[in-house]
Amino acid sequence: MFTLAARRLAWLISLLAFNTAAVSQSNVSDAVLTVGIDLLDAGHILHFLDIVDAFGHVSVRNPDNASQFLMSFSLAPALATSQSIVTYEIDNATSLQLTFNSSVTGAAVPSGFLERFIHSEIYKAFPTVQGVVHSHTTEILPFAGAGVPLTAQMHTAGSLGSLGTPIFDTNKLNTTILPENQPHDLLIRNTVLGDALARTFSADSQVVLMKGHGMAVRGFSVRDAVFRSFYTRQDATVQLQARLLGGHNTGLTAREAMDAENTTESDSLLGRAWQLWVAQVDNAGLYVNDLRMS
Ligand SMILES: *[C@@H]1O[C@H](CO)[C@@H](O)[C@H](O)[C@H]1NC(C)=O
Ligand SMILES: *[C@@H]1O[C@H](CO)[C@@H](O)[C@H](O)[C@H]1NC(C)=O
Ligand SMILES: *[C@@H]1O[C@H](CO)[C@@H](O)[C@H](O)[C@H]1NC(C)=O
Ligand SMILES: *[C@@H]1O[C@H](CO)[C@@H](O)[C@H](O)[C@H]1NC(C)=O
Ligand SMILES: *[C@@H]1O[C@H](CO)[C@@H](O)[C@H](O)[C@H]1NC(C)=O
Ligand SMILES: *[C@@H]1O[C@H](CO)[C@@H](O)[C@H](O)[C@H]1NC(C)=O
């Protein structure tokens, strides 16, 4: 009888064997391979850090074509591999092909996330955004529910800003955006709802809270979107505890938030966090980044 470790080793060897084929068959550029590696790591890290569970997703803009983005098809982020990544149109979130297997196109591509319009509409609205995360992180939900915006409480969360994160509430949408005959299940199921969510972002904050649902986070890279997601959750814990202690103006000033964001999201500091998180997912035994192994 095989031990779990032996089975896993055999599986990894088989993945390595077809991986060279996968990458050469897809004929992707170095830039796409690089963001593909980061995208798989991002999904695995978000799960390892408990920011997503079975649900939630992360995407990256196609570095070779600003009108497209890459995201896994409908699958728990922890389980994604190179053969889960799909190239989508930003225009309408329609799938084009598996990014790393160009023989799988059109209707042969497995179904995408219902809420991929969160990503497509954020990329459409903000040309400088390169990475997006959507999650249902528990710690932020009380703030969205109570109508209390998050503000930066610490230097690593400077991207939350000092004025308060916008809160998106599907119950406040008019019937042009959310008609009576459509499901009121809080999901962002089409371009119209995605557009309404994207318009909620403010210049001050890189995060929108979604009442009864979760959050949407934009980043200047997929790594940055993960970094901001992680420290948004940490910030929610700090802000709640500071309020319980009776503090009111517990957050950073506008100047502090802006300068701290610039410092902590620099390549060297963000890179230090990324290096740790990649080492953690590599040692966890659950996640497979077959692109990085090639
Ligand atoms: C690419 O997709 C084709 C069609 O489904 C499949 O036969 C092939 O094994 C896939 N290649 C890889 C590397 O998974
Ligand atoms: C692979 O991509 C390169 C550069 O875009 C192109 O010149 C070449 O024809 C492609 N090869 C195949 C087999 O598609
Ligand atoms: C870029 O993507 C758009 C949308 O998918 C597509 O219409 C266009 O042909 C692509 N451009 C190139 C150079 O591949
Ligand atoms: C989606 O958008 C692309 C780019 O504008 C377009 O070529 C394509 O026809 C659209 N697909 C659908 C199903 O609307
Ligand atoms: C519905 O809301 C949108 C966005 O706020 C607005 O542009 C539109 O005019 C509104 N429609 C009606 C019928 O109020
Ligand atoms: C932002 O950080 C960089 C170092 O990463 C520094 O060189 C630059 O002066 C900072 N800009 C501001 C406005 O603080």
Side-chain angles (χ1 to χ4, degrees):
M1 192 174 133
F2 285 119
T3 64
L4 191 62
R7 261 193 242 164
R8 190 165 166 79
L9 185 63
W11 182 46
L12 284 176
I13 288 168
S14 73
L15 275 174
L16 269 174
F18 84 47
N19 181 54
T20 324
V23 174
S24 61
Q25 186 181 353
S26 61
N27 194 21
V28 299
S29 67
D30 286 350
V32 169
L33 182 58
T34 300
V35 298
I37 290 170
D38 277 359
L39 180 61
L40 286 180
D41 283 335
H44 299 162
I45 288 167
L46 287 167
H47 179 259
F48 182 85
L49 296 176
D50 214 16
I51 296 158
V52 302
D53 50 16
F55 307 109
H57 19 85
V58 55
S59 68
V60 66
R61 194 188 289 270
N62 183 348
D64 289 351
N65 187 333
S67 304
Q68 300 173 347
F69 68 103
L70 316 182
M71 182 163 74
S72 123
F73 54 68
S74 182
L75 182 72
L79 304 180
T81 67
S82 69
Q83 295 305 302
S84 327
I85 301 179
V86 179
T87 305
Y88 288 100
E89 309 264 19
I90 284 177
D91 205 22
N92 47 30
T94 304
S95 64
L96 289 166
Q97 60 161 90
L98 288 190
T99 312
F100 297 98
N101 188 342
S102 54
S103 68
V104 181
T105 62
V109 177
S111 307
F113 294 113
L114 290 175
E115 296 197 281
R116 58 193 185 280
F117 305 93
I118 293 173
H119 301 256
S120 57
E121 291 302 310
I122 290 176
Y123 291 122
K124 198 184 289 176
F126 307 107
T128 60
V129 169
Q130 302 297 328
V132 173
V133 169
H134 168 60
S135 73
H136 306 160
T137 313
T138 315
E139 289 87 340
I140 59 119
L141 286 171
F143 288 86
V148 177
L150 287 173
T151 55
Q153 301 294 312
M154 57 201 197
H155 67 134
T156 40
S159 65
L160 286 170
S162 60
L163 302 178
T165 48
I167 300 175
F168 179 78
D169 183 353
T170 50
N171 192 41
K172 297 213 169 104
L173 299 172
N174 66 33
T175 52
T176 312
I177 294 175
L178 183 58
E180 282 302 331
N181 65 2
Q182 279 182 21
H184 284 47
D185 58 4
L186 293 89
L187 300 188
I188 307 299
R189 294 170 167 273
N190 55 48
T191 52
V192 174
L193 286 166
D195 175 63
L197 173 67
R199 285 171 191 279
T200 313
F201 276 91
S202 72
D204 178 64
S205 174
Q206 305 304 323
V207 176
V208 166
L209 304 185
M210 301 164 75
K211 186 177 181 216
H213 186 174
M215 64 177 174
V217 182
R218 54 184 183 178
F220 61 75
S221 66
V222 67
R223 294 184 181 194
D224 184 47
V226 171
F227 185 92
R228 287 171 172 175
S229 301
F230 176 72
Y231 284 108
T232 295
R233 190 194 58 195
Q234 305 292 81
D235 195 87
T237 303
V238 173
Q239 187 169 330
L240 178 65
Q241 291 175 355
R243 284 287 180 100
L244 290 174
L245 290 172
H248 289 290
N249 297 319
T250 58
L252 275 55
T253 66
R255 170 78 194 271
E256 287 170 340
M258 191 172 65
D259 288 3
E261 175 183 355
N262 181 53
T263 302
T264 58
E265 297 181 21
S266 65
D267 283 350
S268 67
L269 296 193
L270 199 160
R272 196 194 305 171
W274 197 258
Q275 183 184 27
L276 169 66
W277 293 334
V278 167
Q280 287 179 300
V281 294
D282 274 353
N283 284 288
L286 172 63
Y287 315 102
V288 176
N289 189 335
D290 54 323
L291 292 175
R292 190 146 44 73
M293 278 153 35
S294 67

